Amino acid sequence: VQLQASGGGLVQAGGSLRLSCVASRRIFNNNAVGWFRQAPGKEREFVASISWNGGNLDYADSVKGRFTISRDNGKNTVYLQMDNLKPDDAADYLCAVHRWPIGGRTGYAYWGQGTQVTVSS
């Protein structure tokens, strides 16, 4: 099982980044995928999720209207477009594959390495 997140970096407040999560085909095409983040000294928190076919989307209130999750099953990739970034968004961002096609905020079976997002004020 392989999951690889990328696309993090340093951005000014108000800027944008697009994160990518590539997974091995075997676990990807029939399962929901989620993004989570963890800042130093804080609990890991849910950011967004997308069902296997992209028909069900869910966002944390803190990112709603600013972040957009999408997926390309042909490329085994899920994206997280992050706009209007704020200093509070700075964290290590991780992607995870859910046990089921629809998904949710818990129940993730496979986790990848994170990608660091830093937002300067």
Side-chain angles (χ1 to χ4, degrees), residues 19-83:
L19 306 184
S20 298
C21 174
V22 180
S24 57
R25 182 183 182 89
R26 183 177 70 85
I27 64 167
F28 185 84
N29 282 359
N30 297 319
N31 294 73
V33 177
W35 283 99
F36 294 76
R37 66 187 182 187
Q38 187 166 20
K42 294 188 176 181
E43 298 276 325
R44 184 172 63 197
E45 64 173 347
F46 169 81
V47 175
S49 69
I50 185 167
S51 60
W52 72 282
N53 63 353
N56 292 80
L57 307 177
D58 187 19
Y59 296 95
D61 287 344
S62 59
V63 307
K64 204 171 291 184
R66 300 188 297 120
F67 290 13
T68 302
I69 189 170
S70 61
R71 68 190 294 162
D72 183 342
N73 286 351
K75 296 181 179 179
N76 302 338
T77 304
V78 168
Y79 303 99
L80 185 67
Q81 177 67 40
M82 306 188 296
D83 297 319

